Amino acid sequence: MSNDRTMKRRYELFVRCYRGRADAVAQQQVDGSFRTLPGGFTYERFLEQVNQTHIYGAYNLDAGGNVGFLMYDMDVFPRLKQSWEQLVPELRAKRDQVQALISALGHLGVQPDQVLVEFPTVGFHVVLPLAEPIPVREAKAFGRLARDRAGLRHETPFYPHEVSGYGDMVRLPLRLNDLTGQRSNFVRDIATFDPATYDQTPDFAPLEKLRPIEAKVMRSALAEAERGMYRRVARADEVAPGSTRLVHYRGQRVLLVNDAGSFYALAETCPHAEAPLSIGPLRDGVLTCPWHGARFRVATGEALAGPAHEPLVHHAVRVRGEDILVGPARP
């Protein structure tokens, strides 16, 4: 196979992994800003990225609210005044966090050859390529689940952050980092990778063995996690039709409602002034605040009349035999 054919194959793999908006790629300017360019990420632009002629970034969120990959941004902070020698010990510690994340992903059904690790020289990027674009909210939910399972809740942001507009722009790899003067590269084996002695020659082997993740893997993990979050809060016969009952779900005050035989669970305090809605009247599927008269539809939590304007947090409910189970809050 000729070198040109090899590079075109690598280009195809590169684009498949970083599948964002087909119509949005941006080029870094001299002042550090990015300017959106027409035509997407062409082969010529890929070669410029590899040859460090230009630095490009891709927008992940498409016009339909879907994303083509998930990326954990596991960088070291702060870093602006640190020398390369000072950064290396912190990068090694960050490498251990990457391994913890990959282990957590494994427990959720994502295999090692479905995870791409990039070393941008100020930390690590862990990329999960998707077999097909999925709704951004599903990607965010899975991203949170894996991060929290790895014990990295407060120190590992991930893309996509945003769920509106163009979403997040992610800088593409194999570039020279202006903070360290080192070139980013893909990582073959995170367990043996040493940032102090890594090779800056572009290595496409991790990209060439990469398998995309099926949406069903993420959805199955989310469904399993959700099942484990349900808690029994009452028996069905303890909440008569047309009545409410204050219960507790994972330390939160929740109002259980029986509206004509249908059960709902909502936040028990009014968003206006935190009045206890458990002592408010319920009539025709509408709950009224006992203090200031705000009204809410119990089936959805929607605010129907002020002074409250925000909806009530609405929880999932399941009835299993005679037991009522409350689950996570719904978006």
Side-chain angles (χ1 to χ4, degrees), residues 74-85:
M74 305 181 71
D75 288 353
V76 171
F77 291 101
R79 61 195 181 214
L80 293 179
K81 295 183 179 180
Q82 291 178 291
S83 67
W84 176 250
E85 290 72 22

Side-chain angles (χ1 to χ4, degrees), residues 18 22 35 37 55 124 181 253 281 312 325:
Y18 294 93
R35 177 172 62 91
L37 301 175
I55 298 176
F124 296 88
R253 292 168 63 91
L312 294 176
L325 292 81

Side-chain angles (χ1 to χ4, degrees), residues 40-309:
F41 193 61
T42 63
Y43 178 57
E44 290 71 21
R45 289 170 179 165
F46 167 73
L47 293 179
E48 290 177 344
Q49 180 84 12
V50 173
N51 295 327
Q52 300 184 342
T53 306
H54 295 294
I55 298 176
Y56 290 94
Y59 290 96
N60 193 7
L61 187 68
D62 68 17
N66 303 302
V67 292
F69 65 90
L70 181 67
M71 189 185 86
Y72 293 90
D73 192 8
M74 305 181 71
D75 288 353
V76 171
F77 291 101
R79 61 195 181 214
L80 293 179
K81 295 183 179 180
Q82 291 178 291
S83 67
W84 176 250
E85 290 72 22
Q86 291 173 315
L87 268 177
V88 166
E90 296 187 56
L91 292 170
R92 288 171 175 158
K94 189 64 67 172
R95 177 191 57 196
D96 296 339
Q97 293 182 5
V98 174
Q99 290 182 276
L101 177 61
I102 292 175
S103 176
L105 288 166
H107 290 295
L108 296 174
V110 177
Q111 303 304 311
D113 63 350
Q114 295 180 300
V115 180
L116 182 67
V117 179
E118 179 207 349
F119 179 60
T121 78
V122 289
F124 296 88
H125 293 161
V126 179
V127 183
L128 307 184
L130 307 178
E132 67 276 346
I134 66 172
V136 65
R137 293 189 185 279
E138 289 186 14
K140 286 170 68 68
F142 184 83
R144 284 192 297 269
L145 177 63
R147 178 198 62 185
D148 295 351
R149 291 282 179 89
L152 303 172
R153 176 175 298 182
H154 301 296
E155 49 195 329
T156 304
F158 58 89
Y159 297 102
H161 293 316
E162 303 295 336
V163 296
S164 62
Y166 287 123
D168 299 291
M169 187 189 68
V170 176
R171 291 191 184 188
L172 297 175
L174 303 176
R175 66 186 183 277
L176 190 69
N177 194 308
D178 55 6
L179 291 176
T180 62
Q182 308 286 322
R183 180 172 186 161
S184 70
N185 208 347
F186 296 120
V187 177
R188 289 198 183 204
D189 181 8
I190 188 64
T192 60
F193 179 81
D194 187 352
T197 58
Y198 85 105
D199 187 351
Q200 298 185 42
T201 305
D203 183 3
F204 288 92
L207 190 65
E208 290 166 341
K209 72 174 185 179
L210 189 67
R211 291 190 303 117
I213 302 167
E214 299 287 341
K216 64 182 180 182
V217 172
M218 291 186 169
R219 288 167 181 159
S220 176
L222 289 171
E224 181 65 28
E226 184 176 273
R227 283 192 290 271
M229 294 180 69
Y230 279 81
R231 300 288 186 272
R232 179 191 178 280
V233 295
R235 290 199 318 269
D237 60 8
E238 293 176 331
V239 190
S243 70
T244 64
R245 179 186 178 94
L246 172 63
V247 298
H248 289 84
Y249 169 73
R250 299 169 70 94
Q252 304 173 48
R253 292 168 63 91
V254 173
L255 187 65
L256 190 61
V257 180
N258 184 337
D259 180 33
S262 296
F263 290 96
Y264 303 100
L266 309 102
E268 192 267 341
T269 54
C270 179
H272 170 240
E274 299 187 354
L277 296 177
S278 53
I279 62 173
L282 172 68
R283 177 175 296 178
D284 298 328
V286 176
L287 182 67
T288 301
C289 174
W291 288 1
H292 303 105
R295 300 168 67 233
F296 304 91
R297 191 181 307 281
V298 296
T300 62
E302 174 189 6
L304 301 176
H309 300 290

